[in-house]
Amino acid sequence: MRYRHFPERQGLYDPQFEHDSCGVGFVCNIKGKRSHEIVEKGILALEHLMHRGATGSDPKTGDGAGVLIQVPHKFLSKECSKIGLRLPPAGEYGAGLVFLPTDNKEREFCEYQFRKITEEEGLVFLGWRDVPVDDSMIGKTARDTEPVIKHVFAGKPASIKDELSFERRLYVARKRIENLVRDSSLKQKKYFYITGLSSRTLSYKGLLMSAQLKDYFLDLRDRDLESAFTLIHARYSTNTFPTWDLSQPFRFLAHNGEINTLRGNINWMKARQGLLKSGAFGDDIKKLFPVIVPGGSDSAMLDNALELLVLNGRSLPHAMMMLIPEAWQDNNQIDEDRKYFYEYHACLMEPWDGPAAVAFTDGRYIGATLDRNGLRPARYVITNDDTVVMASEAGVLEIPAEDILIKGRLQPGKMFLIDTAEGRIIDDRELKGKVSSANPYKKWVKENIERLGDLPE
C-alpha cells in the first residue's frame, strides 16, 4: 500500500495501523435556508473546537481542519465570471476543490488528464479556477507540503436527466483520474488529491489549525458564499502523520474516533470486488476499483464505503445503518422489522466497529450517529430560529438560554437526521422504521438463511 507522506514501515512502526481522534460537528438551518451566517457560525464553532485538533513540534502547523458546505452557486458564478468562465445553472455542474503538484509540468499533466477523462466519461469540462489562499500564517511543515489549490468544474450533459445519475458519472470520472495519477510515475503525485467532485457539496480543508481556515481560504470571507449547513472537523491524528489530503471532512462524512475492525473491513471490501454488480453503474463498476483507496485513514476508508453505497442508490440513512449498526441482537427494545433489516445486511456488510461519532451529509440530509457503545460524545442544541448546532461537546457556540428550544445528546447507536428539503428533524424511530420497512427483509431472511442449529445432526 502506498501511504502519502507517511514514513516507510520500520521497526515496530507500520503505517497501516494509523488512526485518529478529533472534533466534529455541524451547524444547520432546518428549513434549508442558505446564508453566509450559517457558514460563519460553522467556522466559529470549528475555532472553538481548536483544542480537539493538534499540532506537532511546529506550533503553526495543525493536523488538519475543514468545512463541507452546499455548492455555493451564487458565489462561484460571480467569481468564475471574473475569469471568463460561465457556469451553468445550479445543479447542472459539478465542482471540486483539487490539490495539485507544485511542479508546473506535473501539474499540467494532471490538469490535462482531468479534462481528458471527464470528457471521455461524457461530461462537459468547463474549466479551472485558482483558489485564492494566504499561507502567511501557516507553519513551515504545512508550507513545505502545500499543494497548488484550484476549483474544477464539469457540466452535466443533456443525456443525463437526474441528479443521482450525474453524481455517479462525476464519481466514475474522479475515480479514474485518481487511479491514473496514483499509478503514474509522477514524483509529486502525493500532492494530487480531489477533495470532492459533486453538484451537491464542496469542501474547504487543508493541513491547518481550526483558527487558520478562514484566513487561509479567502473565499470563506465572501458574503455571497452561502449554505444551509456547515459540516466541520478539527483533526487530532493520534498516532499518525498529518497530511493535506487526510484533513476532513471527506466527501460525505467527518469522523471522531477509531474503526477498530478496519483491517477486516478493508479485506472484505477487497475480496468482494470481484463479485460486485450494479444496475446503477453497469460495466463502469470496474472503474471504481479499488473502492477503498490505499493510503487513507480509517475515516477516509469509511467515507469510501459510504460513497459507494449512497451513489449506488441507497439513501444516506440506509447506508449509515449498514455501516454502523446499533446493538440489535438480543435487543428487545427495537421492533422486529429493524432486527430483520440488520440481520439481512449483516450478510452483505460487516459493521465498521469502534468508538465513533460520525457526522454526515449528501447535500440534502445532514446528521450524526454514534456507535453502539456510545463512547464518543455528541451534543446538540435546537434554537427557536430553526438552527441546529451539533458537536463533539457542548458550548461550541454562545446561544442565549431564551433562544434554546431543546438541548440533548446523541444516545448509543442512535441517529440524528435533518432533511433540509422537507425542513424538519426526523426522529430516530421514524427514520429507522421507514428504512427497515421499505423492503421485505423478514421474508428474505427467513427464506434464504440456513442456521446451523436447524440442520439435522
Side-chain angles (χ1 to χ4, degrees), residues 296-308:
S297 62
D298 56 354
S299 308
M301 293 177 179
L302 176 61
D303 185 77
N304 293 156
L306 176 61
E307 183 175 38
L308 177 67

Side-chain angles (χ1 to χ4, degrees), residues 175-190:
K175 292 289 286 187
R176 283 191 60 195
I177 297 163
E178 288 173 344
N179 290 340
L180 184 146
V181 174
R182 187 178 64 250
D183 296 337
S184 72
S185 59
L186 296 181
K187 294 180 179 179
Q188 288 193 349
K189 61 186 176 183
K190 66 183 180 181

Side-chain angles (χ1 to χ4, degrees), residues 14-159:
D14 191 326
Q16 68 177 315
F17 298 119
E18 299 293 0
H19 58 278
D20 49 27
S21 182
C22 324
V24 65
F26 62 79
V27 178
C28 176
N29 179 274
I30 299 172
K31 303 301 182 184
K33 182 181 178 182
R34 299 187 182 214
S35 69
H36 186 67
E37 183 181 14
I38 289 292
V39 179
E40 287 182 324
K41 286 182 176 179
I43 294 173
L44 181 59
L46 177 64
E47 292 174 354
H48 290 164
L49 285 172
M50 187 167 172
H51 62 285
R52 281 275 184 174
T55 61
S57 57
D58 178 354
K60 292 187 177 182
T61 296
D63 280 13
V67 296
L68 183 65
I69 60 175
Q70 292 171 315
V71 171
H73 173 68
K74 180 180 177 181
F75 167 77
L76 292 175
S77 181
K78 178 187 74 174
E79 293 301 311
C80 287
S81 66
K82 295 178 181 179
I83 57 173
L85 175 58
R86 184 176 180 180
L87 294 180
E92 297 296 309
Y93 65 93
L97 187 83
V98 184
F99 298 159
L100 292 159
T102 56
D103 180 85
N104 290 336
K105 289 185 177 179
E106 294 199 358
R107 183 168 65 254
E108 289 171 2
F109 172 83
C110 293
E111 291 177 356
Y112 170 77
Q113 293 299 333
F114 212 115
R115 178 170 193 148
K116 177 174 177 289
I117 290 175
T118 53
E119 291 178 345
E120 286 177 357
E121 291 299 329
L123 299 167
V124 181
F125 183 81
L126 298 173
W128 296 91
R129 170 187 177 251
D130 293 329
V131 176
V133 299
D134 178 3
D135 63 2
S136 62
M137 87 297 295
I138 67 175
K140 181 180 185 301
T141 305
R143 194 177 294 111
D144 287 347
T145 56
E146 181 183 16
V148 172
I149 303 177
K150 293 188 178 186
H151 278 145
V152 68
F153 303 96
K156 182 168 74 172
S159 58

Side-chain angles (χ1 to χ4, degrees), residues 1 10 44-45 51 75 103 159 187 213 230 256 259-260 300 304 308 315 329 336 341 344 385 391 421 443:
M1 297 176 72
Q10 52 190 294
L44 181 59
H51 62 285
F75 167 77
D103 180 85
S159 58
K187 294 180 179 179
L213 189 73
T230 304
N256 169 34
I259 305 298
N260 293 335
N304 293 156
L308 177 67
S315 70
Q329 292 171 305
E336 188 179 67
F341 170 90
Y344 172 81
D385 66 348
K443 179 175 182 289

Side-chain angles (χ1 to χ4, degrees), residues 339-352:
K339 284 188 178 182
Y340 281 111
F341 170 90
Y342 287 124
E343 186 171 6
Y344 172 81
H345 286 90
C347 301
L348 308 180
M349 173 75 67
E350 297 71 28
W352 292 61

Side-chain angles (χ1 to χ4, degrees), residues 158-174:
S159 58
I160 296 179
K161 303 301 181 182
D162 64 285
E163 183 188 74
L164 186 56
S165 296
F166 184 37
E167 288 293 307
R168 289 189 188 112
R169 185 56 41 203
L170 292 168
Y171 175 46
V172 171
R174 196 199 81 222

